[in-house]
Structures are given as C-alpha cells and as structure tokens.
Amino acid sequence: MFPPKARRNGLFEEPISGPKANPLCKRERIEAILFYLCVALSTLGWWLLLWLVPSSRAIFLGKDFAQNWLWILLIPDALTALLGGTLLAFLIYRKSPLAAPLAWVHFGAQGYAWTISIALACYDPSAYWGLVSMTFATGLALAFAIRIQDINILWGPFQFHFAKEASSSEYFRNSLKQTALMWLVFLVIMPLGIHAAERFMDWRTGWTPGVLEWTVATMVFVTGAFIGLLGAWAMTRTGGGTPLPAACARHLVTSGSYKFVRNPMALGGIGQGIAVGIALGSPLVIVYAVIGGCWWELLARNGEERFLLQTFGKQYEEYRDQIRCWLPVLKRK
C-alpha cells in the first residue's frame, strides 16, 4: 500500500523531481555565502603565503613556474576569486538574480585555473598540491553554480519513484546488488583510476601508507560499510523499498542507522571513500570523496527532503526536527 499523499499525487507513476522553481533555502544560502567568502579569503591567504614564504611557491606551482611566471596569476586571481567571490557572497545574500550568471563565470575561471594546475603538475610533478587544491575548489564551484542556477540533476535512476511491491527478501537482494555496483564504481574503479594517474604522472605526495594508515583505513571503511548496510537493511525491512531513488522506500524509515542520522548511506559512503584514499596514500582520492559528499549536500539533499516532506508530511517533519542529516545523535529530542 502506498502512502496516502503518494496515491493522491501520483508519485508512483511520475517522478517528483520536475522543472518547478526551487530557489535556495536559508541553509543553502548560508552555505553558498560561506563558500564564496572562503574562496575570497583563501585566495588572499594563499597569496600572502606565497609572498611571505617563498619556498611554498614550488609546492603549488612547480619550481620553474614559481620562479618565472608566478606574478602573472595575481591579477586574474584578484578579479575572479577575491573580488568575484566577495561579490557573489553579497549577491546571494541579497537574493539577486545576477548571482546565477556570475556563479558560472566564477566556475569558468576556477575551471581554467584547474586546467592550468593539471598542465603544471604534468610538466613538473612537484606542483601536485596545486592540482589537489584546485580540484577541490573547482568541484565545489561547479556544484554551487548548478544549484544557484536551479538545475535539476535528479534524472534517470536518481529520480524518485516508489518501489514496486515485492517481498522483503527481494528488496534486500536488490539493495545488495545496488550497493555492490556503487562500491565497484565509486570505491574501486574511480579511486584506482585516480591513483593510477598519480603513479603514471609520478605525482609524489610524500605520503607512503604504512601499518597505521592501513589500520585506520580499515576501521573507517568497515564502520562506513556497517552504517550503510544497516540503513539498507532497515529500508528493505520496514520501508518497503531499496536505497536507489528509482525504487525508493514506500514508508518512512526511522529504524536501523536512521535512528541516529538521516542520511546514513551517504555518510557511510563518504567515509569509505576517504578510507580508500588513506589506504592508497592519495590526497586526490580523499578530495574526490569529500567532493562527492558536498555534491550530495548541494545537489541532492534539497530534492530528497522535498520529496519526503511532500510524501510523508508531518511524520517526516517530526523526524527531520529530531534527527540531524550528517551528525549522528544518540538520543532523540
């Protein structure tokens, strides 16, 4: 039996994630303002570091570029990152429609700097840390530009449909298949591909994982897997569905790891990605995992919460008020 609101709204036949306008909520505006202010302040801090500690230049830009071409980056950085980030924070605070096009300009500038960082790291492996920092900044800039523009990315298997009626065992088998595929793609293929590129390009991180790193990585990975699988089990047993949005639970799930955190599977997956990065000794893989969490927060959370609120109404609203999205709570309010 489907939730009453789902039956009235026809959510089983039609996905909820449509083209309706969905402006930034208060939480998202605060996140965007903080991000762009951090971009401006970190740019200022980065240039102060390069000026006051000359030895830091080679770490980010490589020895040759740092000595001969460093200062040609000053004006572009001052315009696009320092002034542009500050202006974007102000426009978002004022809810100005100009924020969306400027966010894309900002992403374009960050993306161009990212391609430069790739070229520098390929030419001189000592510029690896510049690539790491620009990958993180560019990944977040793209996510914020998409969200401020209000572009819906919940399409295909990520649109919300209720699962067809089936037994708990069938839901669980489907959940295990989905989890195995997600782990294979996001925790094996992509991290190993990133690490292979690091090794091929001879990008030295100065970090060789040993017994301690492997121990920490194993503990974090197993904990993340337990949190995620416990959430999937609860979804199949009490929710009547699977973790995949295209076959999502037909009942609100508040048991298992959902007792403590609203998004246990994403939280567990991010932890597992970080654990893989620690085991490989790869800062880029760790950044990749963190960017994945930021993308979920910026581009998926709002749509999922609107879907749950529209479907389950007050029941979800009470649950949302008691349990945080990312930080586990040991006792409900």
Side-chain angles (χ1 to χ4, degrees):
M1 182 174 179
F2 297 109
K5 289 194 175 184
R7 188 168 57 250
R8 289 198 301 270
N9 296 334
L11 296 182
F12 177 66
E13 291 81 11
E14 297 295 334
I16 194 171
S17 49
K20 297 179 180 178
N22 181 32
L24 299 179
C25 66
K26 181 179 178 180
R27 184 198 75 250
E28 292 173 317
R29 286 205 313 276
I30 293 173
E31 290 173 346
I33 290 170
L34 289 176
F35 169 70
Y36 288 113
L37 286 178
C38 285
V39 168
L41 292 174
S42 61
T43 301
L44 179 60
W46 185 67
W47 277 100
L48 287 174
L49 176 66
L50 297 181
W51 179 41
L52 297 174
V53 186
S55 60
S56 66
R57 301 172 186 176
I59 296 175
F60 292 99
L61 300 170
K63 297 176 182 178
D64 292 339
F65 191 91
Q67 291 176 358
N68 300 317
W69 306 102
L70 169 65
W71 301 107
I72 67 172
L73 299 178
L74 179 58
I75 293 178
D77 266 9
L79 291 176
T80 62
L82 182 56
L83 296 179
T86 304
L87 179 58
L88 263 168
F90 175 75
L91 292 175
I92 293 168
Y93 172 74
R94 296 298 300 270
K95 301 182 183 180
S96 170
L98 295 176
L102 187 57
W104 285 108
V105 172
H106 176 266
F107 163 67
Q110 294 289 97
Y112 186 72
W114 178 60
T115 60
I116 291 176
S117 71
I118 295 175
L120 288 175
C122 291
Y123 174 74
D124 185 348
S126 65
Y128 170 80
W129 287 103
L131 172 59
V132 172
S133 59
M134 284 310 306
T135 298
F136 182 70
T138 305
L140 264 62
L142 176 57
F144 274 104
I146 292 173
R147 182 63 191 97
I148 294 169
Q149 186 71 49
D150 193 17
I151 298 175
N152 176 40
I153 67 166
L154 298 178
W155 50 271
F158 298 102
Q159 286 183 317
F160 292 103
H161 293 272
F162 288 109
K164 296 180 179 179
E165 190 170 357
S167 64
S168 296
S169 59
E170 186 174 349
Y171 287 141
F172 189 66
R173 284 196 300 271
N174 290 337
S175 297
L176 289 180
K177 292 177 184 177
Q178 295 166 13
T179 301
L181 179 61
M182 293 294 182
W183 285 13
L184 176 64
V185 173
F186 295 108
L187 299 178
V188 178
I189 295 176
M190 294 188 70
L192 289 181
I194 293 171
H195 186 53
E198 289 176 323
R199 293 175 64 87
F200 178 77
M201 298 305 303
D202 196 27
W203 289 335
R204 301 183 184 92
T205 65
W207 175 17
T208 302
V211 175
L212 176 61
E213 287 81 3
W214 272 92
T215 302
V216 171
T218 301
M219 293 175 61
V220 173
F221 189 92
V222 171
T223 301
F226 176 76
I227 292 172
L229 291 174
L230 185 61
W233 178 84
M235 189 167 288
T236 61
R237 296 288 294 179
T238 64
T242 74
L244 191 69
C248 64
R250 301 188 296 169
H251 309 285
L252 184 64
V253 182
T254 61
S255 59
S257 48
Y258 286 92
K259 288 182 179 180
F260 311 106
V261 65
R262 294 207 311 269
N263 195 27
M265 281 178 281
L267 181 63
I270 295 166
Q272 288 175 284
I274 293 174
V276 172
I278 294 173
L280 295 174
S282 171
L284 265 182
V285 172
I286 294 175
V287 166
Y288 149 81
V290 174
I291 288 176
C294 293
W295 271 61
W296 192 95
E297 166 70 20
L298 295 170
L299 302 178
R301 176 180 174 179
N302 184 275
E304 182 180 67
E305 291 184 349
R306 284 190 302 122
F307 168 73
L308 293 171
L309 184 61
Q310 185 174 339
T311 305
F312 299 107
K314 188 176 180 180
Q315 184 185 8
Y316 173 71
E317 192 173 3
E318 292 175 351
Y319 171 70
R320 181 194 62 192
D321 293 341
Q322 293 176 356
I323 304 299
R324 292 190 290 260
C325 182
W326 293 108
L327 298 176
V329 296
L330 299 179
K331 186 177 181 180
R332 294 192 181 187
K333 297 178 183 177

